[in-house]
Amino acid sequence: MPRLAKMPLFTGITKDEIRIITCLLGGDIVRYPAGAVIPCSAGINLVMTGLVTLEREDLWGGTGIVERLGPNELLPNPDEYKMFAYLPSMLFHMKVPSGSLASKWGQLEKNLTQMYHEREQRLWEKSDILSHRSVRGRILTYLSYESKRRGTLTLQLQMDRKALADYLCVERTRLSAELVQLQKDGLIQYKGNRVTLNPDSFHRWEACSGAG
């Protein structure tokens, strides 16, 4: 219960109310090993820990990675994607409140609405990132959004190099080469998954590119 109480889904809701809500709506926490298919049903499907891959099949039968979602992010309609645990992951599954339950727990509805809004914002950000033709543009636009979201210039990225390359729709070797060049040019410093943005150089890039 303490873990659920910290989730944005239950902001402003007491632990006793959370217990009642999860009981009535079939709330369940499920662990998935890396590589496991996530069999989501219609309802609330929320990543608690780990990283989930969303794949979509094209008209020719091929599949492509659309996005990877981390902690406190809602999974979209399960009919639209195939979902896999990229890392060992823990998910919270629950029915969507309706009727008298929805009116009784208005705060839950409010939280859900906010999370769906944030989900739409992330999709818009992904579209903006991919609108850049250069690898550099995609990396820096992604880092810009993450920095603004977290309120810090030092980021511990949830995605490893392969996952980030897939998310940015670039080859891993090109991503690695551009990260090296960005560090040489003084825009970032990085080690492993930890990236620090140089505020002066980075803000100059934002001003020139129109980012943000």
Side-chain angles (χ1 to χ4, degrees):
M1 193 60 63
R3 187 187 291 269
L4 292 180
K6 295 178 181 178
M7 293 165 54
L9 179 63
F10 293 114
T11 297
I13 300 175
T14 67
K15 292 181 179 179
D16 287 340
E17 288 177 319
I18 293 173
R19 190 175 291 107
I20 294 170
I21 291 170
T22 54
C23 181
L24 292 175
L25 297 177
D28 192 22
I29 296 174
V30 182
R31 296 179 183 273
Y32 298 92
V37 176
I38 297 177
C40 293
S41 57
I44 298 169
N45 300 289
L46 182 67
V47 182
M48 297 180 70
T49 63
L51 203 60
V52 174
T53 297
L54 273 59
E55 290 187 355
R56 177 179 281 166
E57 194 171 284
D58 59 30
L59 294 175
W60 298 273
T63 57
I65 294 173
V66 177
E67 195 170 1
R68 285 200 167 101
L69 301 177
N72 294 320
E73 292 192 276
L74 285 171
L75 299 186
N77 188 328
D79 295 332
E80 298 178 4
Y81 304 94
K82 293 180 180 179
M83 306 183 195
F84 303 88
Y86 183 76
L87 301 175
S89 303
M90 184 162 62
L91 272 73
F92 176 71
H93 303 284
M94 189 173 76
K95 297 176 184 176
V96 176
S98 60
S100 59
L101 290 179
S103 60
K104 183 175 181 180
W105 285 297
Q107 184 61 44
L108 182 61
E109 284 288 293
K110 182 179 178 181
N111 294 344
L112 266 176
T113 299
Q114 176 62 29
M115 294 181 75
Y116 283 128
H117 172 75
E118 291 172 358
R119 168 79 185 140
E120 290 300 315
Q121 177 65 23
R122 291 296 293 266
L123 290 175
W124 185 91
E125 290 174 7
K126 176 69 178 291
S127 177
D128 183 36
I129 290 167
L130 296 186
S131 71
H132 291 264
R133 299 182 64 181
S134 69
V135 177
R136 171 168 294 211
R138 293 185 182 188
I139 294 171
L140 293 178
T141 303
Y142 167 74
L143 294 176
S144 177
Y145 280 124
E146 288 298 310
S147 177
K148 288 180 172 66
R149 182 178 292 109
R150 304 184 199 185
T152 177
L153 292 172
T154 298
L155 308 169
Q156 186 68 34
L157 302 182
Q158 296 173 343
M159 294 184 276
D160 60 18
R161 199 67 56 82
K162 181 180 183 301
L164 183 57
D166 289 340
Y167 178 77
L168 298 177
C169 297
V170 301
E171 294 179 0
R172 183 177 177 180
T173 53
R174 293 187 65 194
L175 172 66
S176 297
E178 190 58 49
L179 287 172
V180 170
Q181 192 59 50
L182 286 169
Q183 183 158 263
K184 287 181 178 178
D185 292 345
L187 276 83
I188 67 170
Q189 292 181 343
Y190 76 92
K191 184 175 183 179
N193 282 10
R194 187 180 180 86
V195 179
T196 300
L197 311 181
N198 180 317
D200 294 333
S201 299
F202 192 77
H203 291 157
R204 281 198 300 273
W205 173 83
E206 285 188 315
C208 293
S209 67

